[in-house]
Structure formats: C-alpha cells, structure tokens
Amino acid sequence: MTRSGQEYLEALRDGREIWLDGERIKDVTAHPAFRATAASFAGLFDLAHDSPHTPDLVSGGVHRAYAVPRSYEELIARRRAYKVWAEASYGFLGRTPDYMASGAAGFAAAPEVFDGGAFAGGENALAYHRRLAEGGLYGAFTITDPATDGVRVVEERDGGIVVRGAKTIGTAAVFADEILVGTIEPLAPDHVERAVTFSVPLDTPGLKLVSRTSYEAQARSVFDHPLSSRYDENDALLVCDDVFVPWDRVLTYRDVDATAAMWWRTPAYLNFTHQSATRFWTKLEFLTGLAILIARSHGTDAIPQVTQAIGRLLGMVAQAKAFVLGAEASWEPVAGGRGGVRPGQEISFAQRIMAGELYPRAVADIKLLAGGAIIQTPASGRDLLHPELGPLIQRYVRTPGDPAEDRLKLLKLAWDALGSEFAGRHEQYERFYQGAPHVYLTMQTWAGAADACESLARTCLDSYDLGTTK
C-alpha cells in the first residue's frame, strides 16, 4: 500500500534544517512559505493511495515510476502514470516524487555500472531503489557544483565517510524524504575527492538547505496567484557541514568514471527525460488552453492572425507529444542482460534540445495574444468586494462575454503563468531542466546518431572524385 498524503506530511516534521530569509524553518508543512506546496505534493500521494487514478498510478503496491519497465507496453503504462501527476499541477510541479523514482529504477536496471575499481556500489544502488520504492519515499537530488567548493570527502571512517561543501540546485529538496548528492558533469581524473554519490535523509546532522525566495510566501491569495501560491516547488542550496554518510548510503566513491556513468550508462537520465517530457507536453497543453481562453475573452479568437497563432501553439503541443511517443516507440534494451528496456536515447536527448528552445517561444506567443490586459489588473481580488471599488471594477473590467470576476480571474492566472517572477523562474528552468545544454549536447554527439549522420555524408563523398564525369 502506498503512503497517504497525511503520512507524507507527518514525515516532513523531522527537524530538518531549512533556512529562508535568515530564519530557520521549524515545520515546512505549517510555514506560509511552503505549506500550500507541501499540501499539493500530499495531494499527489493521495491520488496514488486511494483515488480513481490509483490503478493508473500504482502496480504491485508501489508507484509505477519505481518499476523497471520490461516492455514497450510497460513504458506506456509508466507514462500514463506520469501524466496523471503532471496534470494535477498543470505541469508546474516538475520534480514530483516520480522523477527521482524513475531515476532510481534506472539505477536498478544496471547496478553493475556502480561497481568500479575503487568502490563496489551496485548493491547499495539496488538498496536505494528498494528503500524508496517500498517506503513510497520522495527522493530529490542535488547534482550540480557551485562555482567553488563543491561537496567533497574530507575524512574516511570505519563506518562511512565525512563530506563537506555545497551543491546546487536542490529543486523541491525541502519537500523530500531523502536527497541524493552527486555530480552529473564529467569530473577531471584527479578530482577523486569530489567523485562521490550518496543519499541521506533530510534530517541528517550537518545537512542544511538554504531556500531561494519563496513565491508562495509572496502570493496574496490563490485568486491573485493561482499557480505560485500552490505549486512553488522551490530551489535550495545544499550545504554539507561535515556530514557523516554511512557506507551503505554511498553509491560511488573516489571513482570519476562511475560517478558520471551512473547517469549515462544506466537508463536513469533517459527515465528522467521520459517523466519530464510528459510533464512538458502537459504544461504546453495547459498554456495553449490558456491562450484559447484569453483570445475568446478578448473577442479576438476569430481573427485570422489569432487563429494562426493558436494553430502554431497547437502544433507545439503535438510536437511535444510526438517526442514522448517517439521515445517510447524507439525503445531499446538496457545493456547488461537484466531484461529492462529504456526510452530511445536519440529522441530523448533531442527532446531536451527542443523543450529548452520551444518553451520561451510558446510563452512569447501567448504574451502577444494576451496583450496589455495582463499588466493592468487590480492589485487584489479583494478590490471586487470593496463597496466603492467593486462596482467600478464590475463595470470597467468586464467584457461582453465575461463578467469582471471571471475576466480578472483569467488575467491573474495568465500573469502568474507568463509574466510573474514565478513565471520567469519556469522559463529559465525549462532551458536548464536536466542540466546545462553543454552536458547533454555532448552526450548527444557521443550517441550513435552522430555516426549515422557522418556515414551518410561520407557515402556521398565517396561516390565521386576528380575523375567523375556527368
């Protein structure tokens, strides 16, 4: 049986060290900077625990994201589970528990990758997967080094290691049960002290998370900020202040090759992309629907230029969907003979390129459709209730098709999705959702597609020479 939302919330009250605006947050489930988003995550657990969606989300007593898919059909079943959770937040909660769950399943599909010359982490990788799956735990990660002083090993003990330093960007980490700390960028051969990967509970002594500005805390109400008030997954700097990590929590150690390979030679990264591509498709569906509602509210939906713009957005939605279905249809067996399958690598990598380029274009197109109306809305929905202001707003904000309250509700949603600080974070985040482009673009170059492209071009070169006649 999966965890309920209430069980999940109770587990967050563990004394973890979260900092915001110079204050240590005692309980993320109660603090106004985090409580509504924590409740949104709890709602996801409830959807899996006991709802009409449970059959789509759960198989064998665990969320489908934890399962190692064995066939094309199981890849589709996993995507349907992703879609249910993505639609629950309209695509704005990205690092939901199924994200790291799918990565852990990727580790379990090829645990031999963790067994390097310096440390044998394969059994620990399998144990990590079992722990998350059987407990229904929410795993997060931080796998990017800051400009200086990334996490490194400073001491080795009989029972484990001591680590010190920092990692960015801990998206949704404040809401997780465990956090996996590692490095996705290739390390120099002599950086063995930084070649370490481990996962620990959030209440581990010496572990600190320093939160960025909370958009949820800045939100006036759900009416005024319908997305940022409920779906601010947050991003945090992780600081390890001499954190002790037991050996059974260590996945890679003093092994530069294994520390990178765990992402690229297991299906983990491709599984991440499968989840995020499904969420991206869902998010574009939502934004395109919002564009349609805005055009209808403006009374411009029959203008040819507007219908063409909406047609382009619908084409973007179809493109996003096609990448998901194409990656599934081009599935590949996982190397190593354990019987698992993974989404197609070439299309999965291409999806990351497409998404980072497409999202800003979609937002820009919808802003053009929205026009200036979204930048001049009353400061608060409370103005509608004011005895003097209310009648004025009712008179001047309405349109022939929408009363003022409905019109204002739509414009507030549009601004939160397109123009607010919350929206700006999402636009930037979609560009770097799964690492800096130079990382996955390099991996795309290493993939077999490069060989096929080069071979075709070389075939043409080899078909003629100086002596070739017409």
Side-chain angles (χ1 to χ4, degrees), residues 132-160:
L132 263 60
E134 294 173 1
L137 301 182
Y138 185 170
F141 66 40
T142 51
I143 55 176
T144 302
D145 283 333
T148 59
D149 208 14
V151 170
R152 64 197 184 282
V153 179
V154 295
E155 183 183 349
E156 182 177 320
R157 300 177 185 171
D158 290 341

Side-chain angles (χ1 to χ4, degrees), residues 26-96:
K26 295 181 180 179
D27 183 355
V28 296
T29 70
H31 194 278
F34 306 104
R35 63 190 178 199
T37 302
S40 295
F41 282 120
L44 300 182
F45 281 98
D46 281 335
L47 283 176
H49 180 70
D50 186 15
S51 84
H53 294 291
T54 299
D56 289 324
L57 291 165
V58 177
S59 177
V62 301
H63 193 287
R64 289 185 185 274
Y66 291 111
V68 177
R70 305 291 177 184
S71 66
Y72 171 55
E73 290 73 20
E74 290 185 6
L75 280 176
I76 293 173
R78 187 173 69 178
R79 179 250 299 162
R80 287 173 177 159
Y82 293 154
K83 195 75 165 63
V84 171
W85 270 9
E87 289 181 355
S89 66
Y90 316 101
F92 283 89
L93 287 179
R95 295 289 168 83
T96 43

Side-chain angles (χ1 to χ4, degrees), residues 147-443:
T148 59
D149 208 14
V151 170
R152 64 197 184 282
V153 179
V154 295
E155 183 183 349
E156 182 177 320
R157 300 177 185 171
D158 290 341
I161 55 177
V162 177
V163 297
R164 184 186 303 160
K167 287 283 182 178
T168 64
I169 301 168
T171 301
V174 299
F175 303 106
D177 294 295
E178 285 195 19
I179 187 159
L180 184 142
V181 182
T183 302
I184 196 169
E185 295 94 349
L187 294 169
D190 59 341
H191 286 173
V192 292
E193 78 284 351
R194 293 168 52 198
V196 60
T197 310
F198 57 89
S199 183
V200 292
L202 266 293
D203 62 347
T204 298
L207 193 71
K208 300 176 176 63
L209 288 172
V210 184
S211 169
R212 60 143 165 85
T213 296
S214 169
Y215 307 133
E216 178 183 327
Q218 295 177 341
R220 295 187 176 206
S221 67
V222 175
F223 184 91
D224 292 308
H225 301 93
L227 299 174
S228 57
S229 64
R230 297 180 289 172
Y231 308 121
D232 180 18
E233 61 189 347
N234 207 278
D235 309 286
L237 171 71
L238 176 135
V239 177
C240 293
D241 187 8
D242 287 359
V243 171
F244 176 73
V245 182
W247 284 121
D248 62 0
R249 294 286 187 140
V250 178
L251 304 186
T252 70
Y253 179 56
R254 298 185 65 82
D255 190 323
V256 169
D257 293 335
T259 299
M262 61 179 282
W263 307 108
W264 308 107
R265 286 179 47 212
T266 75
Y269 188 89
L270 298 178
N271 287 356
F272 286 154
T273 302
H274 194 203
Q275 188 269 2
S276 65
T278 303
R279 179 203 54 80
F280 183 79
W281 162 25
T282 304
K283 197 173 186 180
L284 283 189
E285 285 181 323
F286 166 79
L287 291 175
T288 300
L290 185 59
I292 294 169
L293 294 177
I294 290 170
R296 288 177 179 169
S297 180
H298 285 357
T300 59
D301 52 308
I303 297 174
Q305 293 91 334
V306 174
T307 58
Q308 291 169 14
I310 292 174
R312 284 194 297 273
L313 289 167
L314 289 168
M316 293 180 189
V317 173
Q319 187 177 350
K321 178 181 179 180
F323 273 92
V324 175
L325 302 187
E328 293 168 354
S330 60
W331 62 271
E332 302 159 342
V334 177
R338 295 176 63 89
V341 302
R342 66 183 194 178
Q345 178 172 271
E346 293 171 11
I347 294 178
S348 296
F349 283 178
Q351 192 276 340
R352 295 312 312 137
I353 301 169
M354 176 277 299
E357 296 173 351
L358 199 65
Y359 192 80
R361 286 170 46 200
V363 169
D365 286 353
I366 300 170
K367 283 182 176 179
L368 287 175
L369 291 175
I374 60 174
I375 63 174
Q376 189 189 310
T377 59
S380 170
R382 291 194 299 269
D383 290 344
L384 281 165
L385 305 176
H386 192 277
E388 184 175 350
L389 289 178
L392 297 177
I393 295 171
Q394 294 287 356
R395 179 178 180 182
Y396 292 114
V397 177
R398 66 181 175 85
T399 64
D402 290 322
E405 181 176 340
D406 291 350
R407 170 78 167 162
L408 184 56
K409 186 178 180 181
L410 174 62
L411 296 177
K412 291 277 190 179
L413 175 59
W415 179 253
D416 214 16
L418 304 170
S420 66
E421 188 175 355
F422 171 83
R425 179 264 182 192
H426 273 267
E427 183 170 337
Q428 186 71 0
Y429 204 69
E430 292 295 351
R431 297 174 188 262
F432 297 94
Y433 190 79
Q434 282 178 238
H438 73 268
V439 176
Y440 59 75
L441 287 176
T442 299
M443 295 303 169

